[in-house]
Amino acid sequence: MYFAALLARTEDGWEASDTELDDVETLSDLADLAREASAEDDTVLVLIEQEDAWFGVVRIDGEEDPRIYVSDAAAAARSSYGEILLTDELLGREPGDDGPDLDALDLDGTEDGEDEDDDDPAAEAGVSGEIVPHGPVGDAQVLDDLGVSEKQLKSLSEDAVNEIAESLGASEVLETVR
Protein backbone atom coordinates (compact mmCIF):
# COMPACT_ATOMS: atom_id res chain seq x y z
CA MET A 1 0.00 0.00 0.00
CA TYR A 2 1.34 3.41 -0.88
CA PHE A 3 0.26 7.00 -0.56
CA ALA A 4 1.42 9.79 -2.84
CA ALA A 5 0.49 13.44 -2.71
CA LEU A 6 1.52 16.63 -4.43
CA LEU A 7 1.97 19.75 -2.33
CA ALA A 8 2.18 22.91 -4.43
CA ARG A 9 3.36 26.08 -2.74
CA THR A 10 1.33 29.11 -3.75
CA GLU A 11 1.16 32.69 -2.52
CA ASP A 12 -1.89 31.61 -0.46
CA GLY A 13 -0.08 28.68 1.17
CA TRP A 14 0.08 25.01 0.25
CA GLU A 15 -2.39 23.23 -2.03
CA ALA A 16 -2.56 19.45 -1.93
CA SER A 17 -3.71 16.88 -4.42
CA ASP A 18 -3.43 13.13 -4.31
CA THR A 19 -1.88 11.48 -7.27
CA GLU A 20 -1.82 8.07 -8.84
CA LEU A 21 1.62 6.94 -9.89
CA ASP A 22 0.42 4.05 -12.04
CA ASP A 23 1.15 5.92 -15.29
CA VAL A 24 4.46 7.35 -14.06
CA GLU A 25 7.41 5.34 -15.34
CA THR A 26 10.36 7.71 -14.94
CA LEU A 27 11.54 10.56 -12.77
CA SER A 28 10.96 12.84 -15.75
CA ASP A 29 7.29 11.74 -15.88
CA LEU A 30 6.98 12.45 -12.16
CA ALA A 31 8.56 15.90 -12.54
CA ASP A 32 6.18 16.72 -15.39
CA LEU A 33 3.21 15.63 -13.26
CA ALA A 34 4.42 17.85 -10.41
CA ARG A 35 4.93 20.85 -12.68
CA GLU A 36 1.34 20.47 -13.94
CA ALA A 37 0.12 20.87 -10.34
CA SER A 38 1.48 24.42 -10.19
CA ALA A 39 0.09 27.33 -12.17
CA GLU A 40 3.43 29.12 -11.96
CA ASP A 41 6.98 27.98 -11.34
CA ASP A 42 6.24 27.49 -7.65
CA THR A 43 7.78 24.80 -5.49
CA VAL A 44 6.01 21.46 -5.73
CA LEU A 45 6.73 18.55 -3.41
CA VAL A 46 5.88 14.98 -4.25
CA LEU A 47 5.57 12.98 -1.05
CA ILE A 48 5.48 9.21 -1.37
CA GLU A 49 5.11 6.76 1.48
CA GLN A 50 4.96 2.99 1.21
CA GLU A 51 3.63 0.83 4.04
CA ASP A 52 5.68 2.69 6.62
CA ALA A 53 8.73 0.96 5.10
CA TRP A 54 10.14 4.01 3.32
CA PHE A 55 9.25 7.48 2.19
CA GLY A 56 10.49 9.77 -0.52
CA VAL A 57 10.44 13.49 -1.15
CA VAL A 58 10.85 14.93 -4.63
CA ARG A 59 11.14 18.68 -4.87
CA ILE A 60 10.49 20.49 -8.13
CA ASP A 61 11.34 24.20 -8.31
CA GLY A 62 10.18 25.46 -11.70
CA GLU A 63 12.26 23.97 -14.51
CA GLU A 64 15.20 23.01 -12.26
CA ASP A 65 16.21 19.36 -11.94
CA PRO A 66 14.27 17.48 -9.28
CA ARG A 67 15.87 17.14 -5.86
CA ILE A 68 15.24 13.76 -4.26
CA TYR A 69 15.47 12.22 -0.80
CA VAL A 70 14.62 8.57 -0.07
CA SER A 71 14.58 7.35 3.54
CA ASP A 72 15.62 3.75 2.82
CA ALA A 73 16.99 2.96 -0.62
CA ALA A 74 16.97 -0.82 -0.15
CA ALA A 75 13.29 -0.82 0.85
CA ALA A 76 12.41 1.57 -1.98
CA ALA A 77 14.26 -0.63 -4.49
CA ARG A 78 11.70 -3.37 -3.83
CA SER A 79 8.90 -1.02 -4.88
CA SER A 80 8.03 -0.01 -8.42
CA TYR A 81 7.36 3.50 -7.12
CA GLY A 82 10.68 3.60 -5.30
CA GLU A 83 12.54 2.50 -8.41
CA ILE A 84 11.32 5.69 -10.12
CA LEU A 85 13.21 7.74 -7.53
CA LEU A 86 16.35 5.62 -7.38
CA THR A 87 18.14 7.06 -10.37
CA ASP A 88 21.70 6.12 -11.32
CA GLU A 89 22.82 9.57 -10.21
CA LEU A 90 21.15 9.23 -6.82
CA LEU A 91 22.82 5.86 -6.25
CA GLY A 92 26.21 7.08 -7.47
CA ARG A 93 26.27 4.88 -10.57
CA GLU A 94 27.24 5.80 -14.10
CA PRO A 95 24.13 6.19 -16.29
CA GLY A 96 23.53 3.08 -18.33
CA ASP A 97 25.72 0.91 -16.10
CA ASP A 98 23.38 -2.05 -15.83
CA GLY A 99 25.74 -4.34 -14.02
CA PRO A 100 28.64 -6.60 -14.85
CA ASP A 101 29.83 -7.32 -18.36
CA LEU A 102 28.36 -10.62 -19.56
CA ASP A 103 31.82 -11.82 -20.62
CA ALA A 104 33.02 -11.40 -17.04
CA LEU A 105 30.30 -13.61 -15.53
CA ASP A 106 31.29 -16.93 -14.00
CA LEU A 107 28.83 -19.36 -15.55
CA ASP A 108 29.16 -22.42 -13.35
CA GLY A 109 25.92 -24.25 -14.10
CA THR A 110 23.78 -22.49 -11.50
CA GLU A 111 22.43 -20.07 -14.11
CA ASP A 112 19.58 -22.45 -15.02
CA GLY A 113 17.51 -21.40 -12.04
CA GLU A 114 19.43 -23.18 -9.31
CA ASP A 115 20.31 -20.96 -6.37
CA GLU A 116 23.99 -21.17 -5.56
CA ASP A 117 23.58 -18.97 -2.50
CA ASP A 118 20.23 -17.90 -1.09
CA ASP A 119 21.93 -15.17 0.97
CA ASP A 120 22.97 -13.18 -2.09
CA PRO A 121 22.62 -9.48 -1.20
CA ALA A 122 22.23 -8.57 -4.87
CA ALA A 123 19.11 -10.73 -5.10
CA GLU A 124 17.73 -8.86 -2.09
CA ALA A 125 18.47 -5.48 -3.68
CA GLY A 126 15.85 -5.75 -6.39
CA VAL A 127 17.43 -3.28 -8.83
CA SER A 128 19.17 -4.92 -11.78
CA GLY A 129 21.17 -7.15 -9.43
CA GLU A 130 22.92 -4.08 -8.04
CA ILE A 131 23.45 -3.64 -4.34
CA VAL A 132 21.40 -0.72 -3.08
CA PRO A 133 22.40 0.80 0.26
CA HIS A 134 20.23 0.36 3.31
CA GLY A 135 19.33 3.73 4.71
CA PRO A 136 18.81 7.18 3.29
CA VAL A 137 20.06 8.44 -0.06
CA GLY A 138 19.73 11.74 -1.83
CA ASP A 139 19.52 15.36 -0.78
CA ALA A 140 18.74 15.37 2.94
CA GLN A 141 18.65 19.18 2.85
CA VAL A 142 15.80 19.17 0.32
CA LEU A 143 13.41 20.80 2.82
CA ASP A 144 15.84 22.91 4.91
CA ASP A 145 14.57 26.25 3.62
CA LEU A 146 10.98 25.13 4.23
CA GLY A 147 11.52 24.39 7.93
CA VAL A 148 12.43 20.69 7.93
CA SER A 149 16.10 20.27 8.78
CA GLU A 150 18.32 17.45 7.57
CA LYS A 151 18.37 16.02 11.10
CA GLN A 152 14.56 16.08 11.33
CA LEU A 153 14.17 14.48 7.91
CA LYS A 154 16.58 11.66 8.74
CA SER A 155 14.82 10.97 12.05
CA LEU A 156 11.37 10.47 10.49
CA SER A 157 10.02 6.96 10.15
CA GLU A 158 6.36 5.98 10.54
CA ASP A 159 3.88 8.63 9.42
CA ALA A 160 6.70 10.67 7.83
CA VAL A 161 4.48 12.28 5.20
CA ASN A 162 2.13 13.67 7.86
CA GLU A 163 5.04 14.92 9.97
CA ILE A 164 6.56 16.69 6.96
CA ALA A 165 3.22 18.28 6.11
CA GLU A 166 2.80 19.41 9.71
CA SER A 167 6.25 21.03 9.71
CA LEU A 168 5.37 22.82 6.47
CA GLY A 169 2.04 24.02 7.84
CA ALA A 170 0.22 21.89 5.28
CA SER A 171 -1.23 19.12 7.42
CA GLU A 172 -4.84 20.28 6.98
CA VAL A 173 -4.63 20.41 3.17
CA LEU A 174 -2.84 17.06 3.10
CA GLU A 175 -5.57 15.52 5.24
CA THR A 176 -8.18 16.51 2.64
CA VAL A 177 -6.55 14.23 0.05
CA ARG A 178 -5.68 11.32 2.33
Side-chain angles (χ1 to χ4, degrees), residues 72-75 91 131-137:
D72 186 337
L91 296 174
I131 296 177
V132 177
H134 287 274
V137 295

Side-chain angles (χ1 to χ4, degrees), residues 55 69 140 143-144 146-157 160 163-164 166-168:
F55 70 91
Y69 174 80
L143 300 174
D144 270 358
L146 299 175
V148 181
S149 71
E150 177 178 351
K151 182 179 179 181
Q152 286 175 291
L153 192 61
K154 287 183 174 181
S155 70
L156 297 175
S157 56
E163 289 184 41
I164 290 169
E166 187 175 317
S167 295
L168 298 173

Side-chain angles (χ1 to χ4, degrees), residues 11 41 166:
E11 51 187 55
D41 285 342
E166 187 175 317

Side-chain angles (χ1 to χ4, degrees), residues 73-74 77 86 91-93 98-100 119-134 137:
L86 297 175
L91 296 174
R93 298 189 297 227
D98 293 332
D119 297 328
D120 182 9
E124 168 186 325
V127 177
S128 304
E130 303 256 344
I131 296 177
V132 177
H134 287 274
V137 295

Side-chain angles (χ1 to χ4, degrees), residues 81-135:
Y81 304 114
E83 286 181 341
I84 294 168
L85 306 181
L86 297 175
T87 63
D88 288 335
E89 181 181 345
L90 192 71
L91 296 174
R93 298 189 297 227
E94 290 295 319
D97 183 15
D98 293 332
D101 181 8
L102 291 178
D103 294 332
L105 291 177
D106 178 23
L107 302 177
D108 62 1
T110 61
E111 61 273 4
D112 290 330
E114 299 172 25
D115 289 338
E116 182 177 337
D117 185 3
D118 288 337
D119 297 328
D120 182 9
E124 168 186 325
V127 177
S128 304
E130 303 256 344
I131 296 177
V132 177
H134 287 274

